[in-house]
Amino acid sequence: MMLSIKNLKAEVEGKEILKGLDLQVGAGEVHAIMGPNGSGKSTLAHILAGRDGYAVTAGEVLFNGESLIELAPEERASRGIFLAFQYPVELPGVNNTHFLKEALNAQRKARGEPELDSVAFLKLIREKLAMVSMQPELLKRPVNAGFSGGEKKRNEILQMALLEPKLAILDETDSGLDIDALKTVSDGVNALRSPDRSVILVTHYQRLLDYIQPDFVHVLAGGKIVRSGDKGLAKELEAKGYGWLSGQDEAA
Amino acid sequence: MSSTTKQVDALVERGYEHGFVTDIETDVIAPGLDEDVIRFISQRKQEPEWVLEYRLKAFRHWLGMTPPEWSSVHHPQIDFQTISYFAAPKKKPVLESLDQVDPELLRTYEKLGIPLEEQKALSGVAVDAVFDSVSVATTFRKNLADAGVIFCSISEAAREHPALLREYLGSVVPHTDNFYAALNAAVFTDGTFVYIPKGVRCPMELSTYFRINAQNTGQFERTLIVAEEGSHVSYLEGCTAPQRDENQLHAAVVELVAMQDAQIKYSTVQNWYPGDAQGKGGIYNFVTKRGDCRGARSKISWTQVETGSAITWKYPSCLLRGDDSVGEFYSVAVTKGHQQADTGTKMIHLGRNTRSTIVSKGISAGDGQQAYRGLVRMAQRAENARNHTQCDSLLIGDRCAAHTFPYIEVKNPTAKVEHEATTSKIGDDQLFYCRSRGLSEEDAVSLIVNGFCKEIFNELPMEFAVEAQKLLAISLEGAVG
């Protein structure tokens, strides 16, 4: 099992958000995690990537057999965990190409691999650009600064393509995208599917799953996975709303 | 991350690397200041009589002045009678090559990372090394002389180029200008004189490395650069200083004169000892820097990266006298720990169509206190003069502070003045974003800060830009978290 989460409990500022969550993700699998707002989806994504401010109070998170909980975000990154942000952060004045090169080389160095020089890096990034249909001009701009919503999300997928993670977590990647941008982003993700790369899609809507076909669909509600199934579950949710599973009133 | 950062990390682990004391016998006069001390300095410098008169006039004026209290920096009152006003290495040879330099001194330079020989061979930068108050080695003299450029210590200029010095000394910063400028005029001990003749493009970047090394010795540099009609010069100034218990006063004066169509670019990277964790013992840096765009279409550009000193008080300024003349000020100032900085510029537009640009980037961390103080004055005659000011502050942590005090005076209705100011904080979300891509927290801070300062670094000559990035990374070590 690539990712094994057992009975995970976590709180933010004393409030328990995850209340005993279990999830198993095998190599090459695509899992969609759906759920109403406030169910803990983004919390799960952030905890996996190592964001500060969450206290894990119980349970375990193993990534290829190693516990993640004590690792710093950068250590998780170099082990192959990647989070595509719901709201990618702007870094004014920091050149996008420079940022990508520093990030890739930091990870390579941490893994004991040789760092890429500028020539090798530029060759690599050009290949990856084509994969996500991003304009090369965006590489010359500061990271995400002044990017449109679609450009920011594509930049996330470009980073994913470049960093070649083992486990990619896409947090609401579909939010704020028009249908063309959604398709481009999805094509990028699909191009990166491989037998040794797993993907967790965190999403509120079924729409994304029309473009990226998941192997498994889980419904997160009240801090736990309340139902798991195949992609048929997503369709059912779309029709019946989240209230159907959680007993809450909220509609999808 | 990059190899630069590797070096930085190694440096950081060593603490304030430049905080060593070189064991060279120093000839210091007893603390205190009176006319006899000034006569002693002048005599030791073998100066002409008029220089002594100039010093005494300034001293007498200074006696009637009080230290400025309008800036936002705070420090205990300075007792000027406890300072020693002259220190010179005892073995003061007349040098023709570096072989004649005291080997101990050369080792000091190597510790500082500025081996003169390598610089000579590799970088093409002429170095006038100032150790304490006396120049001990000057290189590239011949190349410069061939171009007609004079590049020497100011004492030497007093002896060898008295007419030039007499014409320009104090012509931009008069001895009556302010308290510290008056003090400097009375007791200045060395510094640099540069003269670029008409139409000459100086064949290399000129550089001076300062070093304050004798305990209780204030250093009073005096720099004068004159660029004749149509000439160009780029001057670099970089400094480090040894660790000390007591506050060290540094009150320099820099005067620039640009004639018609002349251009002067003056760059500074300053990394003086900022004091210990409690803020004790750092350098007080009270500097008066002013450039005079005397001729039409002349241009003076100040670029500074200020990371050191306990207190920085400096306002490199431009008098835009000539029509169509241009003044520029690009600044990065870092305050952390208990550092204080009150810095900025003055752009005085006197001529028609004069233009000025001010870009100031302030970074505060820890308990750092920082103020940008800038004056833009459009005089009555300054038809169509323009100024653009951009003033950005970056805060790291929640105990530091940044303030902006723009002073704008417009007496001509056709003048245009723009002022933009921003304040931002390095956000947790920015740090997490970088770290989730594999960068360490320190590297993330360095990346964000360097991005913030990029406009300024672009103005620096290449080797200084690299140095400046290193300094910033060292300065901000441990600033987050």
Side-chain angles (χ1 to χ4, degrees), chain B residues 122-371:
Chain B
L122 298 175
S123 65
V125 174
V127 173
D128 174 23
V130 176
F131 186 80
D132 278 359
S133 312
V134 177
S135 294
V136 291
T138 303
T139 55
F140 284 98
R141 188 70 65 89
K142 189 171 176 306
N143 286 358
L144 293 170
D146 289 348
V149 172
I150 300 169
F151 178 46
C152 63
S153 73
I154 204 126
S155 308
E156 208 177 324
R159 292 192 298 272
E160 293 175 18
H161 310 283
L164 277 177
L165 192 66
R166 196 165 189 173
E167 185 176 351
Y168 293 105
L169 185 72
S171 73
V172 184
V173 180
H175 69 272
T176 52
D177 190 83
N178 68 67
F179 183 83
Y180 293 106
L183 178 63
N184 176 284
V187 300
F188 69 87
T189 43
D190 258 290
T192 306
F193 175 66
V194 178
Y195 178 81
I196 317 289
K198 186 172 169 180
V200 170
R201 184 176 281 270
C202 187
M204 59 194 68
E205 309 244 347
L206 302 178
S207 173
T208 298
Y209 285 89
F210 294 81
R211 188 157 169 78
I212 304 171
N213 201 48
Q215 207 157 7
N216 284 332
T217 304
Q219 188 160 356
F220 302 91
E221 294 280 346
R222 184 102 197 175
T223 297
L224 172 60
I225 300 177
V226 178
E228 290 284 11
E229 188 179 327
S231 67
H232 282 65
V233 62
S234 170
Y235 184 88
L236 319 181
E237 168 195 72
C239 332
T240 55
Q243 202 155 349
R244 286 296 180 197
D245 288 331
E246 288 154 71
N247 291 309
Q248 290 183 307
L249 176 64
H250 186 98
V253 170
V254 176
E255 297 178 281
L256 312 181
V257 180
M259 300 306 190
Q260 188 175 312
D261 295 305
Q263 295 192 7
I264 302 175
K265 184 174 175 61
Y266 193 103
S267 312
T268 306
V269 172
Q270 185 265 110
N271 179 30
W272 286 335
Y273 181 54
D276 62 17
Q278 282 72 48
K280 195 168 156 247
I283 306 284
Y284 289 2
N285 188 22
F286 301 149
V287 184
T288 306
K289 289 182 166 178
R290 192 173 304 151
D292 187 356
C293 285
R294 234 167 250 192
R297 297 173 301 280
S298 55
K299 177 178 175 183
I300 288 178
S301 181
W302 299 99
T303 305
Q304 60 174 28
V305 177
E306 303 279 332
T307 64
S309 296
I311 301 177
T312 301
W313 181 93
K314 69 183 272 200
Y315 315 90
S317 304
C318 296
L319 284 171
L320 301 169
R321 231 190 269 270
D323 290 347
D324 300 290
S325 60
V326 176
E328 293 175 338
F329 174 73
Y330 300 99
S331 170
V332 169
V334 179
T335 49
K336 53 132 208 281
H338 290 270
Q339 282 178 287
Q340 308 173 56
D342 193 303
T343 185
T345 183
K346 288 187 272 186
M347 292 291 173
I348 312 294
H349 292 252
L350 299 171
R352 298 184 182 85
N353 304 314
T354 45
R355 282 170 290 145
S356 64
T357 303
I358 299 171
V359 183
S360 168
K361 303 277 182 176
I363 301 162
S364 277
D367 293 298
Q369 290 291 321
Q370 190 162 138

Side-chain angles (χ1 to χ4, degrees), chain A residues 48-82:
Chain A
L48 289 176
R51 181 162 206 149
D52 284 343
Y54 299 94
V56 172
T57 52
E60 63 172 26
V61 180
L62 300 179
F63 181 63
N64 289 326
E66 181 185 20
S67 173
L68 283 184
I69 304 294
E70 297 304 319
L71 295 180
E74 58 269 31
E75 293 171 316
R76 302 179 194 208
S78 61
R79 281 163 176 75
I81 290 180
F82 177 87

Side-chain angles (χ1 to χ4, degrees), chain A residues 135-225:
Chain A
Q135 294 152 342
E137 286 77 49
L138 293 181
L139 284 179
K140 294 177 188 157
R141 304 228 314 249
V143 180
N144 293 327
F147 284 28
S148 70
E151 285 168 343
K152 283 183 183 173
K153 294 293 171 77
R154 255 177 288 182
N155 200 27
E156 295 293 284
I157 304 304
L158 173 67
Q159 293 181 22
M160 175 179 158
L162 176 74
L163 298 172
E164 300 185 321
K166 295 194 178 81
L167 173 64
I169 303 150
L170 278 59
D171 187 11
E172 310 260 5
T173 292
D174 51 329
S175 69
L177 291 186
D178 63 33
I179 205 76
D180 291 336
L182 180 62
K183 187 164 185 326
T184 315
V185 166
S186 303
D187 288 348
V189 174
N190 286 327
L192 292 168
R193 287 179 78 156
S194 87
D196 51 7
R197 177 169 302 130
S198 308
V199 178
I200 295 176
L201 300 170
V202 173
T203 182
H204 189 82
Y205 299 107
Q206 193 272 335
R207 174 176 86 145
L208 178 67
L209 308 184
D210 290 340
Y211 296 94
I212 306 171
Q213 302 277 325
D215 300 305
F216 301 93
V217 174
H218 310 276
V219 178
L220 179 56
K224 289 181 182 181
I225 302 286

